[in-house]
C-alpha cells in the first residue's frame, strides 16, 4: 500500500506535466499501456525539450532495458504455461520485482503481482487525476512544476545507483549530459549517456 | 499529436517486449555476461543524464535558475527518505517561491 501511495503522487505529477503537450487522453492511455515511470517521464522530458520522436522512443527503451535483466532473473521462478508466465512477467515493475525477491535468486511471483496491482491502479488513477488538475492550471512553471522532472529522476536514481559500478555509470552519464547538452539536439545527450554504461561495465565490480 | 501516439505505441510494445523476453523467449538462457553488465548499468547512466538536463538544461544550453533549488530540496528529501509526496510537492513549492521572490 505505501508503494501505491508513492506511485499515485508520481503519476499525478506525470498527468499534470504531460497535459499541456499531450492533451487529456494520451497521458492516460500511455499510463495504461506502458506502466513505467522512468520511460514515461524520460520520453516526455525529451519531447518537451523539443527532441525528436525517435530520441524520445530511444530514451524510453534504454531506460527500460533493465526490465530485460529483471525478466532474466525472474524467469526460472515462473512455472506453468506460456500465458501464465506472460501474465506474471507483464506485472514486473521495479518496486514489486525487488519486493518479490527471496534473496536467494528466486522470486515469489504471486507476491510480485500482489504488489503490482495496487501500483497499477494508483498509476492509472493518478494520471487521470493529474490530467484533470493539469487542465485547470495556468502556467505550470509559475507553480514550480518543471522542478518535478529533476525531483523524480533524483528519486529514481537514488534507488537505482547502488554499488560502485552503477555510481560510476551515473557519474559518467551526468558528465556526458553536461558536456553535450550545449552542442547536440535535445534528447541526444541523454542517449549518449549510454556510453557511460558501456564504459562502467568494463570496470571490475 | 501523431508523433505522441507513435511514441506511446512504440514504448508500449518495447516495454512489453522487454518484460516478456526473459520469461518467454529466452527460455532459461541468459545474455552474454558483457551484454548483461551493460544492460544493468543503462538506467543509472540515463537517469543521471536526465537529472542534469532537467536541472540545468534550457533550449540547448545550460543555465542556473530556480529549478536548481527545487532539485536540491528533492535530493536532500530523497536522501533523508522523505515520502514521495513530500519530495514532489516540496520541490515544486521551493521552485515556485524562489521564482516569486526573484
Amino acid at each position: 500500500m505505501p508503494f501505491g501511495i508513492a506511485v499515485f503522487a508520481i503519476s499525478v505529477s506525470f498527468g499534470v506535466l504531460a497535459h499541456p503537450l499531450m492533451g487529456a487522453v494520451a497521458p492516460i492511455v500511455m499510463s495504461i499501456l506502458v506502466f513505467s515511470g522512468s520511460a514515461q517521464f524520460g520520453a516526455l522530458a525529451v519531447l518537451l525539450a523539443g527532441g525528436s520522436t525517435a530520441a524520445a522512443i530511444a530514451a524510453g527503451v534504454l531506460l527500460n532495458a533493465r526490465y530485460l535483466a529483471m525478466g532474466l532473473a525472474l524467469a526460472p521462478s515462473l512455472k506453468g504455461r506460456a500465458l501464465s508466465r506472460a501474465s506474471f512477467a507483464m506485472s514486473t515493475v521495479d518496486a514489486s520485482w525487488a519486493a518479490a525477491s527471496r534473496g536467494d535468486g528466486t522470486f515469489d511471483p504471486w507476491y510480485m503481482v500482489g504488489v503490482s496491482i495496487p501500483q497499477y491502479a494508483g498509476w492509472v488513477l493518478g494520471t487521470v487525476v493529474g490530467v484533470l488538475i493539469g487542465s485547470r492550471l495556468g502556467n505550470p512553471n509559475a507553480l514550480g512544476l518543471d522542478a518535478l522532472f529533476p525531483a523524480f529522476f533524483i528519486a529514481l536514481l537514488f534507488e537505482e545507483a547502488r554499488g560502485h559500478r552503477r555510481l560510476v555509470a551515473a557519474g559518467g552519464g551526468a558528465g556526458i549530459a553536461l558536456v553535450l547538452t550545449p552542442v547536440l539536439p535535445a534528447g541526444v545527450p541523454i542517449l549518449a549517456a549510454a556510453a557511460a554504461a558501456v564504459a562502467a561495465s568494463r570496470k571490475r565490480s | 499529436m501523431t508523433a505522441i501516439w507513435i511514441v506511446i505505441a512504440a514504448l508500449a510494445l518495447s516495454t512489453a517486449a522487454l518484460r516478456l523476453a526473459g520469461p518467454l523467449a529466452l527460455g532459461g538462457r541468459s545474455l552474454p555476461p558483457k551484454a548483461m553488465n551493460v544492460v544493468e548499468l543503462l538506467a543509472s547512466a540515463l537517469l543521471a543524464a536526465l537529472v542534469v538536463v532537467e536541472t540545468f538544461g534550457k533550449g540547448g544550453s545550460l543555465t542556473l535558475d530556480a529549478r536548481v533549488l527545487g532539485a536540491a530540496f528533492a535530493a536532500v528529501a530523497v536522501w533523508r527518505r522523505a515520502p514521495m509526496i513530500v519530495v514532489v510537492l516540496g520541490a515544486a513549492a521551493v521552485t515556485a517561491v524562489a521564482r516569486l521572490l526573484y
Side-chain angles (χ1 to χ4, degrees):
Chain A
M1 220 36 213
F3 288 131
I5 295 166
V7 158
F8 186 77
I10 296 166
S11 59
V12 170
S13 316
F14 175 74
V16 169
L17 294 169
H19 181 266
L21 181 78
M22 297 172 62
V25 179
I28 299 168
V29 173
M30 193 178 202
S31 283
I32 290 171
L33 295 181
V34 180
F35 184 35
S36 166
S38 47
Q40 290 179 230
F41 268 90
L44 178 63
V46 169
L47 289 174
L48 280 174
S52 69
T53 306
I57 294 168
V61 171
L62 288 174
L63 281 163
N64 273 348
R66 68 186 187 288
Y67 283 130
L68 183 59
M70 291 157 69
L72 287 167
L74 178 67
S77 302
L78 298 180
K79 308 276 185 264
R81 288 170 175 277
L83 191 64
S84 139
R85 279 182 285 140
S87 313
F88 284 114
M90 284 301 285
S91 80
T92 308
V93 280
D94 298 324
S96 67
W97 180 85
S101 169
R102 292 196 184 101
D104 59 357
T106 67
F107 290 80
D108 182 340
W110 284 107
Y111 191 77
M112 188 171 89
V113 170
V115 177
S116 288
I117 287 173
Q119 286 209 56
Y120 187 69
W123 188 246
V124 174
L125 196 67
T127 309
V128 173
V129 171
V131 164
L132 289 174
I133 294 172
S135 65
R136 282 161 180 77
L137 287 179
N139 174 8
N141 288 9
L143 298 166
L145 295 181
D146 49 341
L148 294 185
F149 280 107
F152 179 64
F153 291 128
I154 286 166
L156 276 183
L157 180 64
F158 188 81
E159 291 303 321
E160 181 72 22
R162 299 283 165 88
H164 180 62
R165 286 198 312 175
R166 290 183 178 198
L167 283 171
V168 171
I176 288 171
L178 211 52
V179 171
L180 294 184
T181 295
V183 289
L184 290 179
V188 180
I190 292 160
L191 303 180
V198 177
S201 75
R202 297 183 181 182
K203 285 179 71 81
R204 269 191 248 156
S205 44
Chain B
M1 204 60 204
T2 315
I4 284 159
W5 288 108
I6 293 170
V7 170
I8 292 173
L11 287 183
L13 293 174
S14 62
T15 306
L18 287 165
R19 281 184 172 127
L20 292 172
L24 285 192
L26 295 164
R29 278 167 291 151
S30 192
L31 294 178
K34 279 185 180 173
M36 277 299 279
N37 282 338
V38 176
V39 162
E40 284 177 1
L41 296 172
L42 277 172
S44 295
L46 264 75
L47 287 170
L50 280 161
V51 170
V52 166
V53 170
E54 293 302 315
T55 306
F56 304 109
K58 188 159 209 168
S61 61
L62 298 171
T63 179
L64 280 177
D65 64 24
R67 279 174 303 168
V68 177
L69 297 173
F73 173 89
V76 173
V78 165
W79 175 56
R80 299 296 303 270
R81 304 223 158 257
M84 198 63 207
I85 188 92
V86 173
V87 175
V88 165
L89 291 179
V94 166
T95 306
V97 169
R99 284 207 178 109
L100 266 181
L101 297 175
Y102 212 40

